[in-house]
Amino acid sequence: MKTSQTGLELIESSEGLSLKIAADNSKQQIGYGHDLQAGDSANYANGITQQAAVALLIADLSTRFEPTLNRLLPPTANQNQYDACADFCYNEGPANFAVMLSHGWDQVPVQMPRWDWEEVKGVEVQSAGLAARRAREVVLFNTPC
């Protein structure tokens, strides 16, 4: 499977758009949460267009996240479940997605909301923004196709 337009729109709305390099949790990002790698800053010094941001998002999904989803999700997963998991995986990373999924497929809508913590000045705190994101993922996950 691949992330659908619905999934792309969920990620875009959750991540927000930055056409210039911006700091996010001690990392540099651009576009819709695209993490810059060492030496990438020069490539984006003048910023990017929204079209380029979408292209980066699609490339990140196809190379870094969808392979994990396609390996770990059950064949019974529908497109909405796939898209909800794609948003979670994009935000939390493939390793954390695997941890969340290790509780069982039927537990995904129960486990997703538990991932609403972020580090602020060295302290783990619950994040209203992440709680809202997890709630949107659960709604999509539970929406029949």
Side-chain angles (χ1 to χ4, degrees):
M1 288 181 99
K2 295 188 70 58
T3 308
S4 74
Q5 187 61 38
T6 298
L8 290 173
E9 290 170 4
L10 178 59
I11 295 168
E12 290 171 356
S13 68
S14 296
E15 289 290 331
L17 175 61
S18 178
L19 299 178
K20 300 276 185 189
I21 296 173
D24 182 53
N25 294 331
S26 74
K27 296 183 266 182
Q28 290 192 315
Q29 295 184 336
I30 197 161
Y32 294 106
H34 172 78
D35 291 331
L36 297 183
Q37 305 302 311
D40 275 353
S41 295
N43 297 333
Y44 301 105
N46 296 322
I48 60 173
T49 64
Q50 183 177 9
Q51 186 177 26
V54 171
L56 278 173
L57 172 58
I58 291 169
D60 283 345
L61 284 166
S62 67
T63 60
R64 296 179 54 212
F65 303 103
E66 290 172 345
T68 297
L69 295 170
N70 289 324
R71 189 176 80 256
L72 296 179
L73 292 183
T76 57
N78 68 38
Q79 187 65 56
N80 286 339
Q81 292 168 330
Y82 187 95
D83 290 342
C85 289
D87 186 71
F88 184 95
C89 190
Y90 192 85
N91 179 237
E92 296 292 341
N96 287 330
F97 174 72
V99 169
M100 188 271 300
L101 192 59
S102 72
H103 295 278
W105 181 243
D106 62 326
Q107 290 297 304
V108 168
V110 175
Q111 292 298 319
M112 277 181 168
R114 296 180 176 172
W115 292 78
D116 66 348
W117 294 82
E118 68 180 338
E119 187 176 314
V120 177
K121 297 181 182 176
V123 178
E124 290 287 320
V125 298
Q126 284 188 292
S127 163
L130 285 176
R133 184 175 190 162
R134 300 288 95 90
R136 290 189 302 272
E137 291 166 353
V138 169
V139 166
L140 182 58
F141 187 91
N142 287 327
T143 302
C145 288

